[in-house]
Every structure is written in structure tokens, then in C-alpha cells.
Amino acid sequence: MRLLHCRLRQVRQHRDLGLRFGRRFTLIGGANETGKSTLVEALHKGLFLRATATGRGVEELRSRLHPGLPEVEIGFEAGGQAWQLRKRFAGASGTCQLSNGAGVALSGAAAEEQLAALLGVEGPVTGTQIRQLPERWAHLWVRQGEAASNPLQAKQESYDFSRLVDQLQQRGSSGALESPLDRRVLELLQERVAEFFTGTGKVRAGSRLAEVQRREAEAATQLGLARERLSELEAAMEQLRAIQERLSAIEGQERPALLARQRQEAERLRQLEQLEQRRRLTIAERDPLAEALERLRRQQRQRQELLTQQAQQLEDQARQAAAVQRLEAELAASRAACERGGQLRLRLEGQRQRLLERQELLQLRLDQLQLEAEERQLREHQEQLGRLQREAEGLKQRLAALPAIGTEQVRELRRAEGALAEARARCQAMAASLELLSADLPVHLDGLALEIGQPQLLSGSSELQVGAGVRLRLSPGGGEALPQARTELERSQAALTGLQEGLGVADSERAEAIERQRRALESDLSNLRKAASAIPWAGLQERITALEPRRLRLELALAALDPIRQDLAADPETPALDGLDRNGLEEELQRLRQTTTLLVRQLEQTAQQLQQAEERERELGRELVASRGRLEQLAGSLGALAERLAAAEGEAGGGDADATLAELEGQWRERQAQIASLDAALAALGPATAEPGAADPAPGLGAAVERLEQERESLLTQLGQAEQRCAGLGAENPVAELERRQAEWEASRAERDAIESQGQALQLLQARFHAAQTDLANRYSEPLGAAIAPYLAALGRDPRAPLLRFDPERGFQDLQLRQGSEAYDFEKLSGGMREQLAGALRLALAEVLQPAYDGCLPLVFDDAFTNSDPQRLPGLRRMLRLAIEHGVQVVLLSCDPAAYGENALMVADPDWDEREEAIQLIRLG
């Protein structure tokens, strides 16, 4: 399908606008508000909106400046013929006319249906379906502000999914992609699954599965109701039986028993009152005796306590005197032990100091040896680094002397040589052969004499002269193909020569040899750098220089310890330091450290023992002071106790106190026995339940009798209600009803299980079919990615590759752009990069779909690349030019047409038909 021309009348700001599209490229320029977007919208609605539509879709086309109804005329090619479409949008009276050069002239609904068939859509969009209008050819109609959107994220119908899959299948391996039988099986599976379930997996309303589930639910409800009725009847009968049993118990047992208990309670209360009076009199006689008895007992206890205290304090006085003598002896022994411990600690401290000085001397000697080793290592590193630097400099000079040829340049040179060989082979295959067998006159070809038996190849038009009067023009066959092959041969030869001159080599073999030599040199240089990186070269000389101050400090410290060295030299048990190597010094130092550790441990133990002895001495002194003070306190306390004992003897009356106490105890026990006898009699009669003199001797029993009568009346009422309820529930046989409902529910459940199993089996089959399709899904994404790749390559030098995933149910998804080793989601790209990737995708879609639309499709960009900066415009122009060369009809509308109207984008290809208007430049406003 190719756009040829259009005319808009009374469409918004356009009173009468006519323009002709280039067969390959149309650039429409104009400032803002000059009607570019109106033109794009009118073309789209003219193709896809029904002429009789009403509502917002038509109102947007109406002009507020020019009278009349909006009219759209479009000329296009489809189905191998040129068609003329004219639509007049006037609501219900709108008209649609469609005709072609073969005499077909349609109008009304027939024209709309024929137009939909030519465009490959189901039918025209009505006014009530205006929301579906933007989905028609959404991948080919890029409106302003939508260029950075991903066309694959929309519905499958919006990017012609079915035809796209068909074309991709033809591009890919037919044996591995989806066959018509597979597609039919999938459609049948989807239809069968759709009979049971919705797209979200829920049971479809109105389906057989939903109906049997509903019947099973109703049967389960009726079964539950039958069970409830049977349970209610059983509960009502149980309630009736309980009421009857309770009434029998009240009449036969509880009511007569309560009346008898009322009479017994009155007699018991009278006896209780008499016993209580006698008990109160006895208690009044007993209490004064108890007070006198308690007073005598308290005096006896106080005297006994004083005697006990006196004995205890005398014993404590003797014990404290012995403790004072013992503490004085221990204190003298502790002072002697502290003096011995102090002398031992001083001796151990001196030994430890001498060991530390020897350790310091050995450590300084070790540090001196370490310093000498470090200096030797740094000198070796310095020499090794210098040698590596000299070798690296030589490799760099050899690498700089070679031409800068890499793997990519070698591949490019090989491709140019292959293209030249192919072009030369095509020219030779199309050339004619001429051989002179015999002649009686001289024969010349293009002025050169022909030799007998020597064939000549004619790749172009040549002149043959026989004698002086015969001249022939010889042209080989092939039509325009041979000149094109010669042109291609010259272009390939020029490209190869340019590459060879640019690289400075005669052929790809020499270039490959240079590339291998450069790679080997670079590998050697990399190995040298790795070897150099292993050497700690940073600040090497500074580190060597910094060793000198350390050497001076060590020599000064050793000189300060020279007396200790002399003492060690004089000690026959200590080895000479000058004769020891590093290992010997470390062993001697380790031995000294172990000796020092043992000595320090002994010193700490001695100090701890001395500290404990001193603490014990202080503790003994405190105990001695405390014991002497306690002796003085006991002497004063014993004097006070003697005075209190004398006073207590006078108050008790001497020896008559025990007799008086025995007489009072006898009288008190007699009264207590009488009270206990009365308490036993009262306990036998039970507790009192009423106050003396009350009118009702047993009010609790009377209330119980009244409650019992009320319960009887209530039970009689409940008895009548329960009888009525049992009669109502038992009118029909509830057991038979339950069995019938149980059978109905089991039958409906079996039917539901069978249909559910059928639906689940279909779902499982569909899931496994989708799994098998998913394994082959990348066979669809690979051809589409291959179609996108050339357009991305035209954008710039950076290697970029599209990535996408094919899902048999949801179509193409997860569009990504791979740059180097990283892959970026479409949504995470910059605005300009999204515009470019979406543009490349749309161009690839149009190219892939072309065979389904007579080998051409229009792609309309309305101010599509607003986020692309000037540095990206050359790549966009190359990408559009590539699409034009691949047969896509590009219509570009821009506020800045100069950005696209230069360079090769506006230049017609010499191979194009001169009669076609390939490129058009139109300015609005």
C-alpha cells in the first residue's frame, strides 16, 4: 500500500489543501500551528473512520474558520491497482466513495468494507468505537509526542501481529516455526478453554462448568437446609423430653422436700437461740481469768529471758578473751611475712630489668639485620624495574613502526576484496564472447585488430569493423543489469583501493600479517606491564633514602647499650652476639622472652602474696580492735542484767507465784471445757439462717419454694410450645428429605467433577502447547531483531543490538538495547535513544510487513524526533535513507525541515525509475 496524493477541504485550518506524496520519501515542513498534525490526523481518519460516524472523532475535523463539512480525498495504490478514496464526514448522512482505474466504483458500506479489506483491517471504526481508532496502524502512524513509546507494548492488533508473525515465519526457518496446523490446534484449544474459563483463568459465566457449579452449590444448600431441619426436629424432641422430666421431678420430689425442710428449720432455730445464751454467760466468766493468767505468764517469761541472756553473755566474754590472745599472735607472724615478701620482690625486679635490657639489645641487632635485608631487596627491585622499562620502550618503538591495523580493518578489507571478486564475476558472467574463425578482410574491434582463434569478452557496447566499409555495433545481453554490474565493479574497485591506500597494504594477507605482529607485540608489552605491576616501584628511591635515618638511630641505640654488650661478652653462659646470625638472634631473643615471662609471672605471684599478707595484717588489726571493744561492752551489759533480775524477783512475789499460776489455769480450763461443749451442740444443730424473733423462721426456703412454683409455670408454657414445634417440623418426613437431597448433591458433584476434569485437562494441554511454543519463540524474535539491526547500525559507530522476547499469547515483549556487554530496558533509555530505537523498530516492522501489502507500506512521522540533538541527526538521516532504499514509503513532517533536507536523504538513487516522483519536499504555511 502506497500513498499517492491527498486533498483536504474544510478540515480545521485547511480550506483546500492538496499535495502529492513522493513514492519513496516525502518531507513536509512548516512552523507550529500550520496544520501538519491536522494533515496526519485527517489522513488517518480518512482511511479508518467510517464516514457516517458521529461524536468527538468527527468534531475534531470540523473547521471553525471555513464553512462546510470536512472532506478528505486520498489516492493510494493497493492490490496492484491505483484507488481513489473520497469521504465526506456529515454524521449519519456522510458519504464514502471508492473507485479504481479498472472501472470499480463503490459507495457507502460496500466502499467502507472494500477499503478495510485493502488496508487489512476488520472494518471501519464507528463513532462509538472512537477509542479504538488510535490502535489502527499505530506502528505506522507516529503522532506528535508518541515517538519515544514502544509500539510492542500496545495490543497485538495495533501492530498487525498476525501478519507480522506470518512474514517472520517466511523469513525464518519454516521447519522450526509455527505451522498452520499448530496455529489451528492452538486456536481450537483456546476456543475450548474459552468455553470454560476467562482470560484470567476464572470460570466463565454462563458456561457448562459455571452451570454445574451453580447446580452443585444449590444442591449443597438444599442438603444443608435438610440437615438443619432434621437437627431442629431432634433438638425440639430432646427439649420436650427434658421439660417433661423436669416437671416430674418438681411435682414428685423437690416441692414436698422443701415444705418438710421448712418445718424442721423452725425447730432447729429455737434450740440454737437457747444454746447461744448459755455460751455468752460462760465466756463472760472465762475472759477475766484469761487476763490474770496471761499477766503471770508474761512475768515468768521475762525472768527466764534475763537468765538466758546472762548465761550467753558470760560465755561470749570468755570466747572474746581467747580471740584477743590468738589475734595478737597472728598479727606478729603476719608482719614478719610481709617483710620477707618485700625483700624477694626487690630481688626479682632487678633480675627482670637486666633481662629487658638484654632483650632490647637483641631486638636492635635484629632490626639492624632487617634494615640491611630491606636495602638489598629495594636495590634489586630498582635494577629489575629499569630492565623492564628498557624492554617496554623497545616494544613500543617496534609497535609504532607498524601501521595501525586491527581485526576490524582486516575484516573490512576482506569484505571489500570479496565484493570486488563478486562484482568481477557478475560482469564476466554477463559479458558476450567474440571469436574470429576466418576472414579475407581485416577485422578490428574498437580499433584493435582481431587475431584468428583468440576469443574476446565484451562486457559493454563495442564497435566491430570489417574491411573499410562494414561497421557493426555489438552489445551484450542483460539489459540494464550489465551497466549496473560494471558500476558496482568500479565502486568495489574504488572502495578496495581506498582501503588499501588508507591502510598502506597491498592485500588482506599483508594486513593480517601486520595485525598478528601488532597483536603479538601488544601481548608482549602487556606481559611486561604485568611484570612491572608486581614490583612495588612507587617511591622506590625515596624508600631507599629513608633507610639511612633508621640506620643512624639503630647505631646510636646500640652504642648506648654497649656496657650491656660487654657484660654479655664477659658472661661465659651467654653466646657472643657478633657471631650469631638472624635465626640465632631470634632464638636467643625468644629464650630471653620466655625467661622474662617466667620471671614476671613469679614477680606477679610474689607481689600478689605480699599484697595478701599486708591485707591480712590490716584485717587482723581491725579484728583485734573489734574484739577488745566487745569485751568492754560485755562487762557493762552483765552489770545491767544483774540489776534487772533483782527487780523481777521482787515483782513476782517469790515462791507463791507458781501456786497462783496453777490455780488460775485450773479455773480457766474448766470454763473453756464448758464453752467447747456448747460449741459442739451448736455445730450439731447447724448454722443459724434467720435473726431471732423474725416472722418467717426460714425465709431462704420460702424463696426457694416460690422460685420452684415460677419454674413450674414456665415449664408448662414451654411444654406447649415444644409440642407445637415438634408437630410442625414432623409434618413431613425429614429423614427421607435428607436422603433425597444427599442423592441430588452427590449426582451434581459427580457431574461437576467430570466437567472440571475436562476443563483442567484442556488447560494443561494448552499450557504444555504454550511451553512448546515458548521453546521456539526466539525463532520469531531473531528475524525481527535481524530486521532492526541494520537500522541501529546506521545510527552510529557504537555496536548496538536489539533484544526482545516472543510470547505465544502476548506477542513481542521486553524490548532492550544491548551496548557492549550491557543490556538496557527500553523504559530506562534516554528520550532521544528511545525515539531512535522505536523509530528503527517501526521501520523494521514496515519493511517486514511490506510483502503482505503489495511490497510497500507508508510510515508517517509527525515531529517524531524532538528529543534527538544535532549530533544524532546524521544517524537518523542514514536510518531513514536505508528504509527508503528498502522500499518503505517515509512521510516525515517537521518544524525544521532543513535538518532532514540535506545530504543524501533528498537525493534520488540512479537505479530508481526516472518516471516515478521518488522524493517530494512540501512546505505548509
Side-chain angles (χ1 to χ4, degrees):
M1 189 273 188
R2 187 190 306 274
L3 295 173
L4 300 178
H5 57 82
C6 74
R7 180 173 292 276
L8 311 181
R9 295 186 181 91
Q10 295 86 44
V11 178
R12 300 186 69 176
Q13 66 264 55
H14 300 301
R15 185 179 64 82
D16 189 352
L17 172 65
L19 54 89
R20 181 170 295 277
F21 297 101
R23 294 182 65 82
R24 294 180 180 269
F25 179 59
T26 303
L27 177 59
I28 301 175
N32 290 329
E33 305 301 329
T34 56
K36 300 189 301 299
S37 297
T38 299
L39 171 62
V40 172
E41 197 66 25
L43 287 173
H44 190 262
K45 290 182 177 177
L47 292 173
F48 300 106
L49 182 63
R50 188 182 291 274
T52 57
T54 59
R56 176 172 57 87
V58 176
E59 289 299 324
E60 291 174 348
L61 293 177
R62 292 186 184 276
S63 175
R64 303 294 185 268
L65 303 176
H66 313 294
L69 296 172
E71 294 183 10
V72 178
E73 293 183 8
I74 302 175
F76 62 93
E77 289 181 355
Q81 295 179 342
W83 295 84
Q84 182 74 19
L85 171 67
R86 182 176 181 272
K87 282 190 179 183
R88 182 173 179 267
F89 295 96
S93 59
T95 60
C96 175
Q97 298 174 353
L98 182 66
S99 61
N100 63 5
V104 177
L106 304 172
S107 63
E112 297 278 12
E113 295 302 324
Q114 180 61 31
L115 176 62
L118 292 172
L119 298 177
V121 296
E122 295 180 358
V125 177
T126 62
T128 58
Q129 300 172 332
I130 192 63
R131 291 187 178 180
Q132 298 178 7
L133 185 62
E135 298 176 2
R136 295 293 174 90
W137 280 20
H139 59 302
L140 303 176
W141 234 263
V142 187
R143 294 173 175 81
Q144 188 174 8
E146 297 178 358
S149 62
N150 181 5
L152 299 180
Q153 286 183 338
K155 295 180 179 178
Q156 295 180 0
E157 296 79 4
S158 65
Y159 61 91
D160 210 353
F161 174 73
S162 298
R163 287 186 179 82
L164 179 61
V165 170
D166 291 339
Q167 296 303 317
L168 290 175
Q169 185 168 343
Q170 295 176 17
R171 287 191 168 212
S173 174
S174 60
L177 298 183
E178 182 183 44
S179 66
L181 178 59
D182 292 338
R183 189 175 304 169
R184 181 56 184 159
V185 170
L186 178 59
E187 291 174 356
L188 289 175
L189 278 175
Q190 290 175 343
E191 291 174 2
R192 293 297 305 280
V193 172
E195 293 176 1
F196 295 98
F197 304 100
T198 64
T200 59
K202 296 181 180 178
V203 177
R204 183 177 296 279
S207 64
R208 282 198 305 150
L209 179 57
E211 181 63 23
V212 298
Q213 287 181 344
R214 181 188 63 77
R215 288 201 298 270
E216 191 223 355
E218 291 179 355
T221 302
Q222 294 298 328
L223 177 61
L225 292 175
R227 287 173 177 168
E228 289 178 2
R229 284 194 294 271
L230 181 60
S231 298
E232 289 178 1
L233 177 60
E234 293 174 349
M237 294 178 66
E238 180 65 24
Q239 182 183 12
L240 180 62
R241 184 189 61 77
I243 291 172
Q244 291 173 346
E245 290 179 355
R246 180 59 181 160
L247 284 172
S248 299
I250 290 174
E251 293 292 343
Q253 300 176 5
E254 295 184 11
R255 189 168 180 275
L258 281 175
L259 294 176
R261 284 182 60 195
Q262 275 186 315
R263 293 190 293 270
Q264 294 174 1
E265 186 66 18
E267 178 63 22
R268 186 181 70 80
L269 290 176
R270 185 183 61 78
Q271 294 177 5
L272 281 174
E273 180 63 23
Q274 294 176 356
L275 291 175
E276 282 290 345
Q277 291 179 358
R278 291 173 56 191
R279 184 176 182 279
R280 285 194 291 272
L281 291 174
T282 306
I283 289 174
E285 295 175 355
R286 183 200 61 183
D287 289 345
L289 292 174
E291 292 177 0
L293 183 61
E294 179 63 24
R295 189 169 50 256
L296 283 176
R297 287 176 177 170
R298 186 169 54 251
Q299 292 174 357
Q300 288 284 20
R301 285 195 302 273
Q302 290 177 354
R303 178 173 176 276
Q304 187 62 37
E305 288 174 358
L306 291 174
L307 290 173
T308 302
Q309 289 179 8
Q310 186 180 38
Q312 290 176 351
Q313 289 182 5
L314 288 172
E315 184 180 354
D316 194 10
Q317 186 179 32
R319 191 166 51 252
Q320 289 297 329
V324 167
Q325 294 179 358
R326 178 180 56 78
L327 289 173
E328 288 176 348
E330 289 181 3
L331 182 59
S334 178
R335 286 173 179 170
C338 288
E339 184 176 354
R340 290 193 301 273
Q343 294 175 356
L344 178 60
R345 183 174 63 179
L346 292 176
R347 185 169 62 257
L348 292 175
E349 281 287 351
Q351 295 177 4
R352 185 177 70 87
Q353 184 63 32
R354 287 191 296 275
L355 287 174
L356 290 176
E357 290 174 350
R358 293 183 180 182
Q359 289 180 36
E360 183 180 3
L361 178 61
L362 291 175
Q363 186 62 52
L364 288 174
R365 180 56 183 160
L366 278 173
D367 292 344
Q368 192 177 34
L369 294 177
Q370 177 65 25
L371 181 65
E372 295 172 355
E374 288 180 10
E375 185 175 7
R376 284 194 304 273
Q377 185 178 17
L378 290 175
R379 299 289 184 187
E380 291 174 359
H381 286 168
Q382 193 175 35
E383 294 175 1
Q384 187 179 4
L385 182 61
R387 179 178 54 79
L388 292 176
Q389 288 176 343
R390 289 190 297 273
E391 292 179 3
E393 188 62 30
L395 290 176
K396 290 179 180 178
Q397 291 175 359
R398 293 172 60 190
L399 192 60
L402 293 175
I405 297 176
T407 305
E408 184 62 31
Q409 286 80 3
V410 173
R411 283 200 294 266
E412 187 175 359
L413 191 58
R414 286 178 176 172
R415 286 196 294 268
E417 290 176 348
L420 178 59
E422 291 177 2
R424 185 177 290 115
R426 284 198 298 270
C427 287
Q428 291 175 358
M430 295 178 184
S433 176
L434 177 64
E435 182 178 0
L436 182 62
L437 300 178
S438 65
D440 55 356
L441 295 175
V443 181
H444 294 80
L445 179 65
D446 290 336
L448 299 176
L450 278 179
E451 300 294 335
I452 296 175
Q454 293 184 357
Q456 300 290 328
L457 290 176
L458 303 181
S459 59
S461 179
S462 302
E463 182 179 307
L464 181 67
Q465 183 178 358
V466 182
V470 180
R471 297 174 64 191
L472 301 176
R473 172 69 64 186
L474 301 179
S475 298
E480 296 297 328
L482 185 56
Q484 292 177 358
R486 287 203 307 272
T487 303
E488 181 63 25
L489 177 60
E490 295 171 358
R491 184 183 301 134
S492 300
Q493 182 63 52
L496 177 59
T497 303
L499 283 174
Q500 290 173 344
E501 293 176 354
L503 297 177
V505 294
D507 52 27
S508 60
E509 293 181 357
R510 176 56 182 164
E512 185 177 4
I514 293 174
E515 188 273 335
R516 286 197 301 269
Q517 189 175 0
R518 287 184 62 87
R519 192 164 59 246
L521 290 175
E522 289 174 351
S523 176
D524 294 341
L525 185 59
S526 176
N527 292 333
L528 288 177
R529 287 172 179 165
K530 290 180 181 178
S533 64
I535 299 174
W537 54 269
L540 194 59
Q541 184 59 44
E542 290 79 359
R543 291 160 61 189
I544 294 174
T545 306
L547 294 177
E548 189 61 27
R550 287 175 54 192
R551 179 185 292 107
L552 293 176
R553 288 195 298 272
L554 287 173
E555 291 176 353
L556 290 175
L558 286 171
L561 295 176
D562 191 66
I564 299 173
R565 180 195 295 268
Q566 295 176 1
D567 292 342
L568 290 176
D571 189 356
E573 297 181 358
T574 303
L577 296 182
D578 295 336
L580 294 177
D581 57 1
R582 181 181 180 87
N583 293 332
L585 289 173
E586 289 179 350
E587 291 176 359
E588 181 64 18
L589 181 60
Q590 183 65 26
R591 186 186 65 78
L592 289 177
R593 285 174 179 170
Q594 292 175 355
T595 304
T596 304
T597 301
L598 295 175
L599 186 62
V600 168
R601 192 176 297 127
Q602 184 180 2
L603 181 60
E604 291 175 352
Q605 185 177 3
T606 302
Q608 184 177 4
Q609 292 174 354
L610 179 59
Q611 182 179 2
Q612 292 174 354
E614 291 174 350
E615 181 62 29
R616 178 60 179 165
E617 182 182 352
R618 289 190 294 270
E619 184 179 355
L620 289 173
R622 289 192 297 270
E623 290 180 2
L624 182 60
V625 171
S627 296
R628 288 172 178 172
R630 179 61 179 164
L631 278 175
E632 294 177 358
Q633 291 177 358
L634 287 173
S637 179
L638 285 171
L641 282 175
E643 294 177 357
R644 292 175 60 189
L645 278 172
E649 289 289 347
E651 291 178 359
D656 295 338
D658 294 336
T660 304
L661 181 61
E663 183 180 356
L664 288 175
E665 285 179 351
Q667 296 176 2
W668 181 83
R669 280 194 294 273
E670 182 180 353
R671 300 299 186 276
Q672 189 66 25
Q674 294 175 0
I675 293 172
S677 176
L678 292 172
D679 287 340
L682 287 170
L685 291 174
T689 57
E691 293 295 329
D696 188 356
L701 290 174
V705 172
E706 184 177 356
R707 286 195 300 272
L708 198 62
E709 289 292 337
Q710 292 175 355
E711 182 183 2
R712 177 175 171 276
E713 294 296 330
S714 176
L715 289 172
L716 289 173
T717 302
Q718 294 177 14
L719 179 64
Q721 295 174 351
E723 290 175 347
Q724 292 178 358
R725 183 170 178 78
C726 289
L729 292 173
E732 297 181 359
N733 188 351
V735 177
E737 174 71 11
L738 177 61
E739 293 176 352
R740 183 171 65 84
R741 296 298 183 185
Q742 180 75 24
E744 291 177 355
W745 173 74
E746 291 176 354
S748 60
R749 184 180 63 176
E751 184 181 6
R752 188 259 300 165
D753 290 343
I755 296 178
E756 272 188 355
S757 299
Q758 183 181 1
Q760 292 170 356
L762 288 171
Q763 282 183 319
L764 177 61
L765 183 58
Q766 184 187 39
R768 293 188 175 178
F769 194 88
H770 284 164
Q773 282 186 320
T774 302
D775 293 337
L776 300 176
N778 61 337
R779 303 298 179 89
Y780 288 102
S781 57
E782 287 175 359
L784 182 55
I788 301 172
Y791 295 104
L792 290 178
L795 290 174
R797 295 183 177 178
D798 296 338
R800 298 169 180 165
L803 299 175
L804 47 86
R805 182 175 60 85
F806 178 78
D807 186 277
E809 289 185 335
R810 297 188 292 174
F812 292 97
Q813 295 181 325
D814 300 339
L815 178 61
Q816 294 180 317
L817 182 65
R818 184 175 64 196
Q819 293 179 304
S821 60
E822 297 292 333
Y824 303 93
D825 292 339
F826 181 86
E827 293 76 10
K828 295 182 180 180
L829 298 174
S830 64
M833 194 64 245
R834 287 202 305 272
E835 287 180 349
Q836 294 181 0
L837 179 55
L841 173 60
R842 295 176 190 276
L843 292 170
L845 291 175
E847 179 186 342
V848 172
L849 289 169
Q850 282 183 140
Y853 293 90
D854 277 354
C856 181
L857 270 178
L859 182 51
V860 181
F861 291 101
D862 181 12
D863 272 337
F865 305 108
T866 56
N867 291 321
S868 297
D869 49 49
Q871 288 76 15
R872 291 178 175 174
L873 288 178
L876 288 172
R877 289 194 289 267
R878 289 193 297 270
M879 183 175 71
L880 295 174
R881 179 67 183 191
L882 182 62
I884 294 169
E885 293 175 351
H886 288 179
V888 179
Q889 184 186 19
V890 178
V891 179
L892 180 62
L893 298 92
S894 175
C895 295
D896 184 17
Y900 304 95
E902 59 184 22
N903 296 337
L905 189 57
M906 298 296 293
V907 179
D909 194 299
D911 295 336
W912 295 346
D913 191 343
E914 296 179 357
R915 294 171 297 175
E916 68 173 354
E917 297 177 352
I919 298 175
Q920 289 286 346
L921 175 60
I922 302 170
R923 294 187 181 274
L924 298 181

